[in-house]
Structure formats: C-alpha cells, structure tokens
Amino acid sequence: MAKDLENEARHRALSRIREARTQQPQGVQEWMDLIAAGDRTALARAISLVESTKEGDRTTAEALLKMAAEKAGHALRYGITGVPGAGKSTWIEAAGMDLIARGHKVAVLAVDPSSHRTGGSLLGDKTRMSDLSLHPDAFVRPSPSGRTLGGVAEATAEVALLCESAGFDRILIETVGVGQSETEVRHMTDVFLLLLIPGGGDGIQGIKRGILEWADAVWVNKADGGPERLAAAQSALSVYQGALSLLAAPEDGAPPLFGTGSALDAAQVHALVDELEARLAEAQGNGNLEARRSRQWRDSAEALLAAEALRSVRNHPQFSTLWQRLQADALHSQILPIEQIRLLLKRLD
Ligand SMILES: Nc1nc2c(ncn2[C@@H]2O[C@H](COP(=O)(O)OP(=O)(O)OP(=O)(O)O)[C@@H](O)[C@H]2O)c(=O)[nH]1
Ligand SMILES: [Mg+2]
C-alpha cells in the first residue's frame, strides 16, 4: 500500500518534470531532477554522457556529476571480483534480489576493460541477471568498453555516483580479477568479495595476489552438485586460507570472512549477504568505513593529481621542443635521468 502511494507520488513528480521540460529548454538541473525522480531514460542518458570520450561532453557531464554528488553519499558499494566464469553475475543476481527483499534499491555495474568478453557480454549479463534486470528496484548497467578519458575506475565511480543520486542505495560492481581494473575498483567499494572456484589448478587461479589481501570475504563458489564438489571446494578454501594467513593483516584489522557455497542457492547467498551487511553496519558504527573511504579518497586523489600534473606539463607550449631536445641528448648526457627531468621542469616553470 505504502509502495503504491510512493509509486503514484513518483509518477506525479515525473509528469510534472516532463511538462516543465517540454516548456523550456532542458538544462542540467531538470535533467538531474528527472534522474532523482527515478526516470530510467534520463539516468541511462546521463551514464552515456559520463562514459563518453568526447571532450565536448565533459562540461555537461561534470555539471551533472556535481549535482549528483550533493544527493549522493548514502549508498554502500560492493565490489565482486573473481576469475572469468566464477559465477560473479549469478551471485549478483541472487544477492541483488536478496537486498531488494531487505528494502534496498540495487544498481549493478560491470567493469571489464579486458578483452575476455565479446560484444555478447551485454546480453549475457542481462540474461544471467534476468530477475534483477526486470525488477523496478534494480538497475543493471553492463560494462562500458574503450573508455579512455580518466580511465575505467574514474568512469565507474562517476556512474556509481549517478546511480546513487537516482536513489540506489546498494551499488554492486562486478569486475574480473585478473587485470588492473579490480585494483582500482577496490578503491571505490565498501566491501570487497572474491569469488573462486574449486579445482582451479594452481591454487590462486591466476588471481592477482594483492586481491587476496584486500578481500573482505573469500567465497569458493560452485560448492554444489554432490559430495565430491563440496570436498573440492572445502580443500580449495583451505589452500586460500593458508595463503592468506602468510600475508599481513588488512589495514583496518578486520580479518576476511571465508566460506564455500553456491550462487545458485538463494539461502546460502542470503547468509553471506547477512554477514556482509553486518560487517558494513559495524564498520559504519566504529568509524572503519569512514577511515576506509578516506584512504580511498587519498589514493584516487593521488592518481588524479599525477594524471592532471602530467597533462598540464604536456600541454605546456614549450614542452614538445624541450622534450625532443632532451631525448636527442639523453644517451650522451652524463647526468642522471631524474636530473634531466628536474631540469626540464625548471625550464617549463
Ligand atoms: N553449479 C554452479 N554453477 C554456477 C554457479 N554460479 C554460476 N554458475 C554457472 O557458471 C557459469 C558462469 O557464471 P557467471 O555468473 O556468468 O560467471 P561470471 O563470473 O559472471 O563470468 P564472467 O562475467 O564471464 O567473468 C554460468 O553457466 C552459471 O550458471 C554455482 O554456484 N554453481
Ligand atoms: Mg559476469
């Protein structure tokens, strides 16, 4: 009943905004209003704009993001990583539905800058997340590919921000754990889940070692289909636990959760979501979440600073000439490369 009233109010608000939009040229504020009122088309268009590599789109995108930032900040972000085919999308489908049943609104973003999937991935994700894709309280956005401006992580953080401003309070970000992107995605998530599969051969399954250290939870998936598979999952889990016990404790001191299970089993996924939600609530209460976000801010700000500094040096009118001269002299010069760079920067001052 309350839901009906809420939907009706939302509907009325949307019509009012649409009317206003037809009466005057559409500005960024109206666009933002549509997004905040739950208009999917407006949200999808905003995401495309933010993902656009055209310099010309950037000004509007940034204006929109600034407004989105004012409305955002209340969502919690899950990072889900693992080898290709580990069951990430399947787990997200189940966990997403579970979070919706708890009263949340769920946005799913997929990050996959690598080439391991083809153009079919969009369709693949939507079919794998069939319930979630169709649910009015969910928004599933497959990965952008080929975005170059600012990199994958920045684009994903921006898209997450837009989703937050549209009222989604749980953002699930799927990423393949074999490249660079999951390192970056880890810097924007409040809880990081690593999915592995039994019998992956070399223990760590080609997963970058760092990921094991960052994981808040390690779950060996596909522990189903008979006692043999269950035993294989258990023994894989012991290997990971062993590997992890040799590593340093996580920065905020909370040891990771370990478990085996099946993404096809809603009750098992529910139990893990329970644990992750409890962990998030605890981190919110004891200040660990804020500390984590502050570290994340520092890391991504440093990366942005480096990129921006490089860009401004390269844009200096004298840069090309001096750089070419430096390159020509470099091999015969007696001074260290770092000194050469310092001299260059001095000249560009
Ligand atoms: N038996 C079993 N099969 C599963 C489980 N989880 C996923 N699968 C199956 O494994 C296959 C791959 O699942 P996805 O969810 O697409 O895996 P993914 O990690 O998202 O794959 P990529 O996005 O391509 O890296 C599908 O056929 C799923 O049905 C599980 O817990 N048990
Ligand atoms: Mg997937």
Side-chain angles (χ1 to χ4, degrees):
M1 189 63 195
K3 200 95 187 164
D4 283 351
L5 283 175
E6 197 185 300
N7 278 340
E8 206 185 301
R10 200 167 80 175
H11 208 77
R12 271 204 307 273
L14 276 178
S15 333
R16 269 203 308 277
I17 294 165
R18 281 215 184 86
E19 260 165 43
R21 186 167 55 156
T22 49
Q23 283 161 14
Q24 48 187 297
Q26 188 191 353
V28 174
Q29 181 64 59
E30 287 137 80
W31 195 348
M32 191 65 238
D33 290 344
L34 280 170
I35 294 172
D39 186 317
R40 301 297 177 104
T41 317
L43 175 60
R45 272 186 56 213
I47 292 177
S48 300
L49 187 82
V50 156
E51 287 171 355
S52 164
T53 47
K54 284 193 219 131
E55 276 289 352
D57 287 339
R58 203 54 209 162
T59 320
T60 320
E62 278 179 19
L64 211 49
L65 286 163
K66 250 160 90 174
M67 280 180 206
E70 283 166 25
K71 296 185 191 298
H74 309 293
L76 293 175
R77 299 172 182 186
Y78 282 61
I80 295 96
T81 194
V83 288
K88 300 178 292 294
S89 303
T90 310
W91 190 88
I92 288 172
E93 160 89 351
M97 292 305 288
D98 193 81
L99 286 164
I100 288 173
R102 294 166 197 248
H104 295 296
K105 289 185 73 185
V106 175
V108 179
L109 313 177
V111 181
D112 185 8
S114 69
S115 54
H116 102 276
R117 290 198 295 191
T118 55
S121 69
L122 190 158
L123 203 63
D125 281 348
K126 291 252 172 179
T127 16
R128 209 131 292 153
M129 301 184 196
S130 53
D131 288 345
L132 212 51
S133 302
L134 296 174
H135 202 287
D137 288 333
F139 181 79
V140 178
R141 177 78 183 188
S143 50
S145 55
R147 149 114 186 190
T148 47
L149 279 183
V152 177
E154 200 197 332
T156 309
E158 290 174 357
V159 172
L161 194 68
L162 288 174
C163 291
E164 273 189 50
S165 71
F168 294 97
D169 64 343
R170 288 294 181 280
I171 318 275
L172 310 184
I173 305 174
E174 171 177 343
T175 166
V176 177
V178 288
Q180 184 57 34
S181 57
E182 76 294 336
T183 318
E184 297 174 353
V185 165
R186 180 220 164 213
H187 290 310
M188 67 181 79
T189 52
D190 301 314
V191 70
F192 199 63
L193 167 66
L194 171 62
L195 288 188
L196 296 165
I197 37 178
D202 68 342
I204 310 291
Q205 301 181 351
I207 281 280
K208 281 177 57 183
R209 195 166 174 80
I211 297 179
L212 264 183
E213 291 174 63
W214 302 325
D216 297 291
V218 179
W219 154 292
V220 180
N221 195 33
K222 306 199 182 181
D224 52 29
E228 242 168 67
R229 290 262 292 268
L230 285 177
Q234 267 307 328
S235 83
L237 187 68
S238 319
V239 174
Y240 303 130
Q241 258 173 316
L244 211 74
S245 67
L246 301 174
L247 303 170
E251 263 181 277
D252 60 11
L257 301 165
F258 281 99
T260 62
S262 171
L264 301 175
D265 184 326
Q268 288 182 15
V269 173
H270 174 83
L272 180 54
V273 171
D274 254 355
E275 290 193 84
L276 297 176
E277 285 287 310
R279 212 177 161 96
L280 284 165
E282 194 187 326
Q284 266 177 319
N286 66 15
N288 275 350
L289 187 73
E290 205 176 298
R292 179 175 177 134
R293 286 185 172 180
S294 156
R295 281 198 303 275
Q296 291 172 336
W297 179 88
R298 182 198 62 203
D299 292 345
S300 57
E302 275 173 5
L304 283 176
L305 174 66
E308 201 52 32
L310 184 62
R311 207 177 59 88
S312 81
V313 166
R314 285 208 170 119
N315 283 346
H316 192 286
Q318 296 294 306
F319 177 77
S320 319
T321 321
L322 290 171
W323 187 244
Q324 275 166 19
R325 207 180 295 161
L326 191 71
Q327 220 172 341
D329 296 345
L331 294 183
H332 312 289
S333 168
Q334 296 299 312
I335 61 173
L336 292 170
I338 184 68
E339 286 178 290
Q340 293 173 337
I341 296 300
R342 282 194 195 119
L343 275 174
L344 172 77
L345 288 177
K346 221 174 230 160
R347 288 199 190 124
L348 290 178
D349 240 1

